[in-house]
Amino acid sequence: MKSTNGKIIGKYCPAEHNVGLESNTIQLGTVDFYRKRDINSGTFDDEEGIILYKIKDSIQLTSEISKKYFDNAIKSDGNNNLVVCKNRFKITNPYAFSDGDSGNVKLSGDTADLIKIDVTGFYYIFSTTETDEAPTLEAGKKIDNSYDSFYKIIDPSIFMKAIAKRLYEDGVNKKLTPVPMSDELELVQVYVNYRGGMVNYDEPKIEEMSQNNDSKLTFQDRLIKSIFNKNTRHGHASQKEFRCAFWFTDSNGELLQLPSNEPYILNVDSLKDLFVNIELAKSQ
């Protein structure tokens, strides 16, 4: 995954945050953080990390079906919200109701009804830019007016592996403590996962939810997929964002929640050889 064929993967930022210069830290953002950014920012997306389902027919979400779509059983909170994983996910649909003693939840309505799942709180995100041209001050300012600097990530694969290792070390040292889905679980081992790739700019995908849907995607597949999608209506596709995502799982592969929705500042003092400053060209 090295930069090849003249392509560069790197990050626009304020000069004081440039780890190719004097800065020793990077900021790992969260979905919530990017949603709350200034609407004029080139990284703003208020629909980031959203999964949409359309109800094909009225379906009974038995434990088998809810496992298929959500990995965990679903219950109603009595306020037209379905709650998955003990309030970790909020699913809103006005046609949801409990069928009583069985504990199952039934979703009904016509085919226009949508279920929206908000997946904030599970992924750290590090956004970079892929470019086959010399980075320019103008390009940086289009993302954020404070971006007057750029550093190249020499090898993204090595970078992500090193950041995952550093996150793991911070977890061991109790600087960072992921939260289990269930309050009844005790964490014995925490694993750090990562994935990198280009962001896909498209209209939000709506998956059809039905009793007989044979999709092979797991809920975690859907979650990570939503992290690499951004809505075209915000007009950021020209940025060619290469995104790195990091998340935590337990020894059973179950997703763990981040300690908070705030960005995490990670010390990379010993990883400085992974970055190199590139002087920005100024437009003529």
Side-chain angles (χ1 to χ4, degrees):
M1 198 181 292
K2 287 186 177 180
S3 302
T4 58
N5 300 322
K7 292 187 182 297
I8 295 171
I9 291 178
K11 190 169 183 68
Y12 287 101
C13 61
E16 60 267 28
H17 297 163
N18 188 329
V19 289
L21 295 173
E22 297 183 4
S23 177
N24 293 320
T25 61
I26 63 171
Q27 176 176 272
L28 302 179
T30 64
V31 172
D32 192 62
F33 169 74
Y34 285 113
R35 284 185 191 165
K36 291 179 179 177
R37 294 210 68 182
D38 187 326
I39 193 171
N40 295 315
S41 166
T43 56
F44 170 81
D45 185 355
D46 57 350
E47 294 171 292
E48 195 163 352
I50 293 291
I51 300 176
L52 294 173
Y53 290 107
K54 180 174 72 173
I55 304 171
K56 182 178 180 182
D57 304 297
S58 295
I59 63 173
Q60 188 79 13
L61 287 184
T62 62
S63 58
E64 180 181 353
I65 297 297
S66 63
K67 174 72 175 176
K68 178 176 181 178
Y69 282 104
F70 310 112
D71 284 356
N72 284 271
I74 296 176
K75 64 181 182 178
S76 173
D77 68 357
N79 295 308
N80 290 329
N81 287 319
L82 301 183
V83 183
V84 183
C85 306
K86 292 198 172 182
N87 296 313
R88 303 306 188 196
F89 300 98
K90 286 284 187 178
I91 306 178
T92 305
N93 178 276
Y95 295 91
F97 61 93
S98 172
D99 71 348
D101 295 337
S102 72
N104 291 330
V105 172
K106 190 171 185 177
L107 299 176
S108 63
D110 61 36
T111 55
D113 296 323
L114 294 179
I115 298 174
K116 182 173 74 171
I117 304 178
D118 187 339
V119 299
T120 59
F122 293 89
Y123 297 91
Y124 283 128
I125 297 169
F126 189 75
S127 296
T128 67
T129 298
E130 181 187 85
T131 178
D132 52 8
E133 299 176 349
T136 66
L137 182 62
E138 181 183 23
K141 295 289 185 181
K142 283 183 178 179
I143 300 174
D144 190 293
N145 195 50
S146 68
Y147 289 0
D148 57 1
S149 185
F150 184 93
Y151 60 87
K152 174 183 175 181
I153 298 173
I154 297 173
D155 187 322
S157 294
I158 294 176
F159 164 75
M160 287 186 288
K161 185 175 181 179
I163 296 305
K165 184 174 184 290
R166 185 56 53 85
L167 285 170
Y168 175 78
E169 291 168 349
D170 279 7
V172 170
N173 295 326
K174 305 301 182 184
K175 294 180 182 178
L176 179 66
T177 308
V179 182
M181 290 292 206
S182 171
D183 297 332
E184 301 169 359
L185 294 177
E186 180 181 354
L187 285 182
V188 177
Q189 180 69 52
V190 174
Y191 296 87
V192 184
N193 309 268
Y194 61 90
R195 183 181 298 183
M198 299 301 295
V199 167
N200 178 51
Y201 296 89
D202 202 350
E203 294 298 320
K205 292 292 189 296
I206 302 174
E207 183 174 353
E208 190 173 83
M209 179 183 287
S210 68
Q211 200 78 21
N212 299 315
N213 189 304
D214 59 355
S215 172
K216 298 298 189 292
L217 288 177
T218 67
F219 187 46
Q220 287 197 37
D221 288 337
R222 293 182 175 95
L223 291 179
I224 191 64
K225 194 173 180 181
S226 74
I227 296 300
F228 284 87
N229 285 332
K230 297 187 82 167
N231 198 323
T232 51
R233 74 182 179 88
H234 296 298
H236 303 328
S238 62
Q239 292 175 14
K240 296 183 180 179
E241 180 184 343
F242 183 92
R243 174 166 288 191
C244 308
F246 303 88
W247 67 99
F248 302 93
T249 53
D250 63 16
S251 56
N252 295 316
E254 294 292 331
L255 195 62
L256 301 175
Q257 190 174 30
L258 301 179
S260 79
N261 283 327
E262 295 301 312
Y264 188 69
I265 306 301
L266 190 70
N267 189 292
V268 293
D269 186 35
S270 63
L271 305 176
K272 297 277 281 183
D273 59 345
L274 300 181
F275 317 104
V276 60
N277 175 57
I278 294 183
E279 293 295 331
L280 291 180
K282 294 185 178 179
S283 301
Q284 299 298 320

